[in-house]
Amino acid sequence: MNSIDAEKYLKKETDSIPNSEKKYYKPDEYYQIKSYGNTMFEECVIPFEERKKMSIPSKNGLYVPEILLLHFCSKYPNPKNGYPGYWWYKYGIRNVGKVLESLRQRGFIVIDEDTEKYVLTDKGRLELQDNVYVPYMHSHDKYTSFTIWDMNKIINDDNRYDYKAIIDKKLQEISNTIKEDNNKFMQLLKVRDPDSFNKLKKQDDQLVLIQKAEQLYKENKDLKSLISFWENIWNTTGLLFESATWLFRLPDLYIKAKEYEKAKFIVEKIKEKNDSYYINKVNKYMMKIEKKINKA
């Protein structure tokens, strides 16, 4: 499906949404053919009808997005916070209500009279049990180089309950390949550009230390130790690589520890050092911190 056909499909699906349901979707202009348009992450959305030609249905004829809708069906119809944008950008579904109605007609879900929400039928429950990999991979969206669509082509009757082992093996293979390629690059850089090699080596070493500290925190929940780790980074080398997440990590930890003045001080430092690059994020943090201070 080329971009012109995709645009026609998007418009057709948009027009098919009843006026009474439009309030549960984001504004029409939110839905575009390309995600992250005009950036290095630009990617064309593949409509659901096109995805069907590229993926494998379950024994009952359901595709990945339909199986995922079974998992979330109790939130629909008339979702309190509207239909998430990922139904379009990740799964190519613009008119979510239409697909839900199709699932109802095929006997996978029914409307519960008490809650007025969908519930699974026995057929729907069995379908979801046989395809647990779908909601699992959706909730673990860090799998950027091994997607739910890749998994769909691997899963079959013999291995569907070993999905976690399959995912772990695949991710380990990807990780090993990345490490090998990185080692080759670093060895070549060491010879050709020693200064750049040393700079990247320090960045890699710091990232490894950060990952270890964060993993340790997940295990022991020792907030004070993690704060001390990040304070040491700020008081010595600073963050050696570009990352908004890690740059604002110490303020996040201070807020969690209810040390709001310290959080405010670090955010002000970020503003000074990064000029206007993170101005929007800085402003949001300052507003958040001020609210916390006033409430305290």
Side-chain angles (χ1 to χ4, degrees), residues 81-93:
N81 297 314
Y83 290 111
Y86 59 67
W87 287 118
W88 170 247
Y89 282 103
K90 284 189 176 182
Y91 302 106
I93 294 178

Side-chain angles (χ1 to χ4, degrees), residues 17-211:
I17 299 172
N19 289 330
S20 60
E21 292 185 18
K22 285 188 181 294
K23 61 184 177 182
Y24 299 112
Y25 296 85
K26 298 182 186 300
D28 289 350
E29 57 268 20
Y30 170 85
Y31 301 91
Q32 302 292 325
I33 294 302
K34 295 181 179 179
S35 59
Y36 304 105
N38 300 317
T39 73
M40 62 183 294
F41 303 107
E42 182 177 284
E43 188 176 0
C44 287
V45 176
I46 300 177
F48 180 38
E49 291 304 314
E50 193 67 17
R51 279 287 186 192
K52 288 181 180 179
K53 303 173 187 176
M54 306 160 59
S55 54
I56 301 170
S58 69
K59 288 185 294 185
N60 288 314
L62 297 195
Y63 292 88
V64 165
E66 294 174 311
I67 295 167
L68 189 62
L69 273 170
L70 294 183
H71 177 70
F72 287 117
C73 74
S74 61
K75 297 177 180 290
Y76 308 138
N78 310 331
K80 183 178 179 181
N81 297 314
Y83 290 111
Y86 59 67
W87 287 118
W88 170 247
Y89 282 103
K90 284 189 176 182
Y91 302 106
I93 294 178
R94 175 66 177 96
N95 188 343
V96 183
K98 185 173 76 171
V99 182
L100 285 166
E101 174 60 20
S102 173
L103 290 169
R104 187 194 66 77
Q105 290 178 1
R106 286 178 284 170
F108 292 98
I109 55 178
V110 293
I111 287 285
D112 181 270
E113 293 181 0
D114 294 328
T115 64
E116 296 185 343
K117 298 291 183 184
Y118 285 113
V119 293
L120 295 172
T121 60
D122 289 340
K123 183 179 179 181
R125 275 189 288 274
L126 288 173
E127 177 71 11
L128 199 53
Q129 288 173 13
D130 283 345
N131 296 280
V132 184
Y133 80 94
V134 173
Y136 180 84
M137 290 203 74
H138 172 78
S139 63
H140 293 71
D141 57 3
K142 64 180 180 181
Y143 304 136
T144 53
S145 53
F146 178 61
T147 70
I148 198 168
W149 304 105
D150 298 321
M151 189 68 172
N152 171 252
K153 294 175 181 177
I154 295 173
I155 283 290
N156 55 52
D157 287 339
D158 296 327
N159 64 19
R160 66 179 59 256
Y161 297 110
D162 299 323
Y163 65 94
K164 286 187 180 179
I166 295 171
I167 292 169
D168 290 342
K169 182 181 178 182
K170 204 71 180 176
L171 290 178
Q172 189 59 54
E173 291 174 359
I174 293 170
S175 178
N176 291 339
T177 300
I178 292 173
K179 286 180 180 178
E180 289 175 10
D181 291 343
N182 186 59
N183 287 336
K184 290 177 183 177
F185 169 75
M186 291 296 282
Q187 290 305 315
L188 184 62
L189 189 66
K190 186 176 182 180
V191 175
R192 293 185 176 180
D193 190 348
D195 290 338
S196 294
F197 168 81
N198 290 330
K199 182 179 179 180
L200 286 177
K201 181 69 167 57
K202 289 178 180 178
Q203 291 176 348
D204 288 344
D205 290 344
Q206 187 184 66
L207 180 57
V208 169
L209 289 175
I210 289 172
Q211 290 171 336

Side-chain angles (χ1 to χ4, degrees), residues 216-268:
L216 184 61
Y217 173 65
K218 285 182 180 179
E219 296 168 3
N220 62 24
K221 301 301 179 185
D222 189 343
L223 181 59
K224 187 176 180 180
S225 293
L226 186 60
I227 287 176
S228 295
F229 169 82
W230 277 101
E231 285 176 337
N232 183 60
I233 286 180
W234 274 85
N235 293 329
T236 54
T237 61
L239 197 64
L240 299 176
F241 55 92
E242 188 68 34
S243 170
T245 298
W246 296 130
L247 185 62
F248 286 84
R249 184 55 171 153
L250 185 54
D252 282 332
L253 295 174
Y254 278 144
I255 291 171
K256 190 176 184 68
K258 297 183 179 180
E259 297 188 60
Y260 305 128
E261 292 298 337
K262 288 184 178 180
K264 186 176 179 180
F265 176 78
I266 295 298
V267 173
E268 287 173 345

